[in-house]
Amino acid sequence: MRIQGARRRPALGREATMSCDRIRDRLELASLGGVTAGESAELEAHLAVCPACREAWEECREAAAAVRASIAPAHPRPAFHRALREAVRSEIRRARRFGTGRRIAAASAAALLLAAAAVWRSADRPGAAPALRLADIERWRLAGAATGRAAPSGALAGASSRAYFVRRDGAGRRVVAVDVATGRTCWETPVDANGPLAADASRVYCPVADDRRAAGLAALDAERGTLLWRYAGAAAPAFCRSARPVPWGDRVCWSAGDTVHMIDAGTGRRIWAHAVDGRGRLSAAEILGGRLYVADAATLTCLDGADGRVCWSQRLGGDDAEPLERPLLAAAGGRAYVVSPLPRRSGRLACADLADGRLRWTRLVPWPHHVAASDEAVYVRAGEVTAYDRDRGTMRWSRAAEGCGPLTPDGRFVHFVDASGGGRLLALERGSGRAVRAIEGVRSCEPVLLAGGLGVVETVDGIVHAVPVWTP
């Protein structure tokens, strides 16, 4: 009768045999591999000669097996098992006060189920998802995308159903247009892109470096890939990656350094520029209802989209924000959400009313990689993906998820890549955080681009994949 999973460290100063009471105290932990090698040998010796304890041992093994089968995640992490064993130890100590023998085993088994379920909810994922393999369901793939932290991220023009990404070309780079439905390459154009792309139905916008090595913006024709114009009005150095451009009708808004630029999308002519007198680099802009919202490390500013006039400006908190880090901004449902960078990789999440800038609430969060918003919540990605209520800032749900990829909300779901294990593309219900689909074998720090029933994602090996997105 071999007890499996014992940790290999010597037992210190205990007698060669154990009493039945001491055996019963250790059976639950032994069923989870939570005893030392010395304790395991003593348990085996006792169980060989004691039928009553053998019967209790079989009960514990069955209870532990049932718990594992019913709640263990599909990809368990070491932290899950460590937390589970600690929870079980606590429950066993409590169960000892209520009896011995089978009563201990029964009480501990029930407590084990509850404690393990609680640990899983806090340490792993809220709900299992049907798992699929990337190789089994992908519609097409295309190799050669630029990868790494300094590589520009892709963009999608929903109206034209094309995806755009950056491909390395020796020492330079090319912007590549791909038909989302078929994966066919439509065109490639040499452009020294050094920031995130954006697109509308007519143009692709690429942050670039101009001849003076200052930050600039280029526009390519979405149909043919020809260069339409280059805007060189930014004073920010090219080595500071600019924010993602934001198409807005016949204009495009672009933040570089501490200045917001509104540019005519057809000609590349500056319409207006506004330097924000605040702290450090600006976020990408959000444009809603004719107003433009932009944040630095300490201030949220609302500008009139037509002429750049300041409508209001709202301080977001103390003076402890880090001005060298770009803040994160998202807006929806009448609220703006700003994460200001703080020292020691933390952040301050602030919610403000879009109408007048009045602060609704603030809370500290781990410094996130991305923030997104819907009408009912804001979603923050740090070491986990967490949804906070729009009105009170209370946590609605949280899910452990490794990696740095952005969140892509759609009508009912939030799509992103969890880098744990071999990586997986997940779809979570926005309201509950329940995982409804998982595609295994996806590792990426890029956004999931949605169009025509497909999700397009660029993985860390430089391959662009298209897969069917979840539809209920």
Side-chain angles (χ1 to χ4, degrees):
M1 183 178 300
R2 185 69 181 164
I3 295 177
Q4 302 293 327
R7 294 171 285 139
R8 297 186 177 276
R9 73 174 187 237
L12 300 177
R14 51 174 51 93
E15 58 269 21
T17 60
M18 292 183 179
S19 68
C20 289
D21 288 344
R22 293 184 62 193
I23 285 287
R24 304 296 174 84
D25 287 348
R26 288 166 174 76
L27 288 181
E28 291 90 348
L29 287 181
S31 68
L32 292 170
V35 296
T36 68
E39 288 172 329
S40 175
E42 294 173 27
L43 284 170
E44 290 170 15
H46 184 95
L47 294 176
V49 298
C50 182
C53 288
R54 277 202 305 272
E55 185 178 354
W57 164 241
E58 292 302 323
E59 291 176 354
C60 289
R61 286 205 308 175
E62 291 172 5
V67 169
R68 289 191 182 98
S70 62
I71 70 167
H75 299 275
R77 303 182 178 94
F80 173 84
H81 292 297
R82 289 194 299 269
L84 177 58
R85 281 195 291 267
E86 289 304 312
V88 172
R89 288 181 187 274
S90 174
E91 295 299 331
I92 289 173
R93 286 193 295 268
R94 190 174 66 175
R96 287 177 188 159
R97 297 197 297 267
F98 299 102
T100 59
R102 292 191 180 189
R103 285 186 295 166
I104 290 181
S108 297
L112 170 60
L113 182 59
L114 295 175
V119 169
W120 184 32
R121 285 194 297 268
S122 62
D124 205 84
R125 58 186 185 178
L132 304 168
R133 292 196 310 165
L134 175 63
D136 294 338
I137 67 167
E138 69 178 358
R139 296 289 180 84
W140 54 261
R141 62 166 56 192
L142 197 63
T147 58
R149 292 182 63 85
S153 55
L156 183 71
S160 65
S161 294
R162 288 185 177 178
Y164 306 92
F165 67 95
V166 176
R167 171 177 282 165
R168 294 193 186 278
D169 181 17
R173 290 170 175 165
R174 292 174 173 264
V175 174
V176 181
V178 179
D179 183 272
V180 171
T182 65
R184 177 180 61 88
T185 298
C186 301
W187 51 258
E188 297 188 32
T189 299
V191 176
D192 188 20
N194 70 344
L197 308 181
D200 55 28
S202 302
R203 289 165 287 271
V204 184
Y205 305 98
C206 317
V208 295
D210 67 17
D211 293 338
R212 296 173 291 119
R213 305 306 296 171
L217 189 68
L220 307 178
D221 182 271
E223 183 64 29
R224 299 179 299 275
T226 54
L227 179 67
L228 298 176
W229 49 259
R230 290 176 71 102
Y231 175 81
F239 63 81
C240 292
R241 292 188 70 199
S242 58
R244 184 185 296 275
V246 181
W248 184 43
D250 59 356
R251 302 180 179 191
V252 57
C253 178
W254 177 52
S255 303
D258 63 354
T259 303
V260 183
H261 303 260
M262 186 65 77
I263 303 165
D264 186 292
T267 65
R269 178 183 60 86
R270 178 191 296 176
I271 297 174
W272 55 260
H274 178 85
V276 176
D277 185 18
R279 289 173 55 86
R281 302 162 66 190
L282 295 179
S283 69
E286 291 278 349
I287 304 178
L288 294 170
R291 286 185 167 187
L292 181 151
Y293 304 88
V294 68
D296 62 19
T299 306
L300 174 64
T301 301
C302 174
L303 305 174
D304 187 290
D307 55 17
R309 173 178 52 86
V310 176
C311 300
W312 51 257
S313 183
Q314 173 65 57
R315 293 279 296 172
L316 297 173
D319 296 324
D320 50 349
E322 295 281 358
L324 296 181
E325 293 276 3
R326 187 188 307 282
L328 303 175
L329 171 65
R335 302 281 192 272
Y337 306 94
V338 183
V339 182
S340 301
L342 301 177
R344 294 181 292 279
R345 305 306 296 168
S346 62
R348 181 186 299 109
L349 173 60
C351 172
D353 193 290
L354 290 181
D356 56 13
R358 179 169 59 92
L359 281 181
R360 294 282 183 163
W361 49 263
T362 63
R363 63 175 297 149
L364 294 178
V365 295
W367 175 242
H369 306 293
H370 191 250
V371 61
S374 65
D375 287 348
E376 67 276 0
V378 56
Y379 310 93
V380 177
R381 176 156 203 186
E384 59 281 319
V385 176
T386 304
Y388 297 101
D389 183 80
R390 70 185 291 272
D391 293 321
R392 300 178 300 277
T394 54
M395 187 176 73
R396 302 182 67 173
W397 53 261
S398 185
R399 178 199 172 86
E402 300 176 13
C404 56
L407 306 172
T408 304
D410 64 6
R412 286 185 53 190
F413 307 107
V414 177
H415 305 266
F416 65 96
V417 174
D418 176 5
S420 60
R424 52 192 170 183
L425 174 59
L426 292 175
L428 307 186
E429 286 186 342
R430 284 187 354 194
S432 67
R434 183 177 68 89
V436 296
R437 196 189 200 195
I439 300 176
E440 305 290 346
V442 181
R443 292 180 64 87
S444 176
C445 283
E446 299 301 322
V448 182
L449 312 173
L450 305 175
L454 293 177
V456 179
V457 61
E458 176 186 321
T459 49
V460 295
D461 54 4
I463 299 176
V464 180
H465 306 262
V467 297
V469 295
W470 170 259
T471 53

